Amino acid sequence: MPPACASTEPWVTVPLNRWEPPHPVTAALLAGQLTTPKPETEKALPRSPELASALAQLNRRWGNPVDEELKSWLSGASVVVAGQQPGLWGGPLLSLVKACAVAAEVARLREAGQPAVGFFWLETRDDDLPEMGWGRVVVGGQLLEARESWTRGEACGFAAVLSPLSSERLQEIPQDALPPGGLEAFTVARECFAPGQRLGEACGLFFARLLRGLGLVLVDASLPELAQASAWAAQKILEKLEEAWGCLEHRARELAGQGLPLPLRLRQDLLPFFRLEQGRRRRLAAKSAFRRLSELAHHPEGLAPNVWLRPLLQDAALGTTTAILGSSELAYHWQAQDLWELAGVPQPRWQLRPHITVVGPAERRWAEKLGVAPEELLSPRLPRRLLRASGLVRDWERLTHKWLADLQRFAEKARAEQPNLTGDLEATQKKLMGSFSWLAHRLETRAEERLQLEHQRFFRLRQSLRPAGHPQERALSVLSPLLALGMDFPIRLVEALKALPPDPSPMHLLFWNPGGPW
């Protein structure tokens, strides 16, 4: 599993389509069967001082001061954006990967002499609470899970209140097994995700502690100033709603013609907005479009966009230059691509996020002792070659068979020449047979113990890298690698992502030592 000794790179790659198959539309884009729209680099939108002030205040409250970055943003710096729903213990690990990918891209642009600012968007208006209400970590190869008993639609992420469950489950982690950095991460998570805290706020506080010093601007999507800064684009789409549906249907037919599934389910009987009422989202009928135009003009913060309108309004508010997207996001962005021109919002560059699996010191040791290759972790079964009988057992069985055959021939000859030695020969045969059987039993027992140990190592390795058979970055929470690698892990992850080759198609298995990448 680890790179060859001659390699200087702290990663190995495996095909993404085997480790974490992308959405078929994204796979077609990677294969060149579809093309992405050309980014508009010449056109720039005015940026809202009111929004900059609100974001500065929010980040200061969360403990992530970014005043200088927001001054640069107002001055016209390039904008790199990624986003994700809030989630228990930070949400899935891919949330941190996205945030660090933004920081890495901003660093590349700055090194090239181009002013740039990174934003990490927390979509706190989402109400898919079962998707946001789980947390999973692996400690010592054992999986620990917490899941809130929320139902879809009962509240948005900014209003959902945490129960004592998260804190209680964290207390089950053996703190004496954590390194100092892991203990700090444990303490921060317990403080941020305390009972009674709202999920969006908890996640914002948590990411502020993780990303502080990286210069990323954290965004709470429920900020009224965001809705106000993008209301003009929302109004344009609503005014041209029939044309917008036509654009989406045109791209749907193009995908269907190539046998590709549609990323978006189109409901033309509904508006692409929800009404926000008492922390919940309510669907709006298409026949109310005229009334919503007036509402957008006066109180845009009372409406939240649907899945295909949200990225457009995000780009209208922030002036996005580069959007770092997940596989499914890239797919539905592609279907909605014509809406940017329709609304008069400059088309940003779309970049597929990096895909990583973090291999910590313990996992690396288990992998080296087993000698497994990454592709062997795709199966829940121990590799067949490790199930074979011990070579010592096979050698002993062969030697035993040979010696017993030689002894039998000797006994037959001795009986013919010295009949009075028959009793001694039989006693010797029994003693040798007993010794042979005892050693065979010992060899088999040790072979079974070794096999059991290898099963245990393989289970723990897979539990950490392919938990329940799923990609690590989707199945484990942000907190999980922090418990092993400490609170400075995001900073080191940014450096690792900067060093990765630009090809987004493979899964990268990153190898980590306590002091940094190997």
Side-chain angles (χ1 to χ4, degrees), residues 23-39:
H23 190 284
V25 172
T26 298
L29 284 165
L30 292 174
Q33 298 167 1
L34 297 172
T35 58
T36 54
K38 184 180 178 181

Side-chain angles (χ1 to χ4, degrees), residues 99-116:
C100 291
V102 169
E105 182 63 19
V106 167
R108 290 189 196 102
L109 291 172
R110 289 176 179 174
E111 288 171 3
Q114 184 175 344

